[in-house]
Structures are given as structure tokens and as C-alpha cells.
């Protein structure tokens, strides 16, 4: 089994910064693409950023230039550095990863439990 554990959420003022982290643990052979999604109240879940195993990144237009996704393959972790935060960034943020099992070598998609980010003055 694989579990994704998120940390770093909280309350921040507009213009502030937060760093979200996600650690994968369990029977892991390797991890492919990882990313972050978010869901604001009354809105559907949207893709925020992704990073491939080779380090290629993609971002939704609304966060380009403000958010940076990174990963550490040796530690099975990923991070989302968020700067210049806006009230519209308020949402529950979810870690997501494609993980190949060390038991049967089948790749499965996993979700973290979600962490609340609130941007408010």
C-alpha cells in the first residue's frame, strides 16, 4: 500500500507565501508524474501543477510565475512553493502521484488527504 501525506497548509495574508510538501510512503518501486490539485468552495477540482519524473513542469495559467513545483526522487517527495498569494488561491490542495508498486510493479494513482490553504486579511 502507498500513502501520500501532505503538510504546510494554513492561513496567510494576501501577498504572502506558503510551501506545501507531500511525502509518499509504502511499497514503492518508482514514482512517475506527481502534481497538485485544488478545490475551492463551490468549484470543481482543478489541476494546479505537475512535474514528471524527469523534472518537466506544467502550471495552470492562473499560478504561472507565482507557484513552483519541485520533487526529490531519492526521498519520494514533492513540494509546491506558493508566493504572492491571492484570496482566489483559497482552496483545499491535494497531492497526487502515479506510483509503481514494489510488490506487483503495477502503476496506480494515489491522492493525499488534502490540506487547507486560506488567503485572507
Amino acid at each position: 500500500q502507498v500513502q501520500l501525506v501532505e503538510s504546510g497548509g494554513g492561513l496567510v495574508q494576501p501577498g504572502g507565501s506558503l510551501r506545501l510538501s507531500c511525502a509518499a510512503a509504502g511499497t514503492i518501486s518508482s514514482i512517475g508524474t506527481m502534481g497538485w490539485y485544488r478545490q475551492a468552495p463551490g468549484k470543481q477540482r482543478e489541476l494546479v501543477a505537475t512535474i514528471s519524473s524527469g523534472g518537466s513542469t506544467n502550471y495552470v495559467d492562473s499560478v504561472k510565475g507565482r507557484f513552483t513545483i519541485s520533487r526529490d526522487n531519492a526521498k519520494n517527495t514533492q513540494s509546491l512553493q506558493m508566493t504572492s498569494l491571492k484570496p482566489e488561491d483559497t482552496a483545499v490542495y491535494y497531492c497526487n502521484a502515479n506510483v509503481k508498486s514494489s510488490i506487483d510493479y503495477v502503476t496506480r494513482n494515489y491522492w493525499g488527504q488534502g490540506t487547507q490553504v486560506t488567503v485572507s486579511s
Side-chain angles (χ1 to χ4, degrees):
Q1 284 290 330
V2 172
Q3 190 166 13
L4 305 181
V5 180
E6 299 137 320
S7 62
L11 175 65
V12 65
Q13 293 186 343
S17 300
L18 282 176
R19 179 184 288 271
L20 305 182
S21 297
C22 174
T27 53
I28 298 169
S29 177
S30 62
I31 302 178
T33 298
M34 308 180 77
W36 293 90
Y37 290 73
R38 67 185 180 186
Q39 188 164 23
K43 307 286 286 186
Q44 70 180 48
R45 189 173 299 186
E46 69 169 346
L47 179 64
V48 178
T50 63
I51 182 166
S52 73
S53 60
S56 297
T57 60
N58 288 284
Y59 300 91
V60 67
D61 286 345
S62 60
V63 309
K64 287 181 179 177
R66 300 189 298 120
F67 291 10
T68 302
I69 188 171
S70 61
R71 66 188 288 165
D72 187 330
N73 291 334
K75 297 179 180 179
N76 291 332
T77 61
Q78 67 164 323
S79 297
L80 185 69
Q81 177 65 51
M82 305 183 292
T83 63
S84 301
L85 283 162
K86 305 174 180 179
E88 49 262 47
D89 294 318
T90 296
V92 177
Y93 284 71
Y94 297 90
C95 178
N96 181 265
N98 292 318
V99 181
K100 180 179 289 185
S101 169
S102 62
I103 302 300
D104 59 8
Y105 298 97
V106 172
T107 298
R108 299 177 176 88
N109 187 258
Y110 293 89
W111 291 91
Q113 79 285 353
T115 184
Q116 177 71 49
V117 172
T118 302
V119 184
S120 176
S121 59

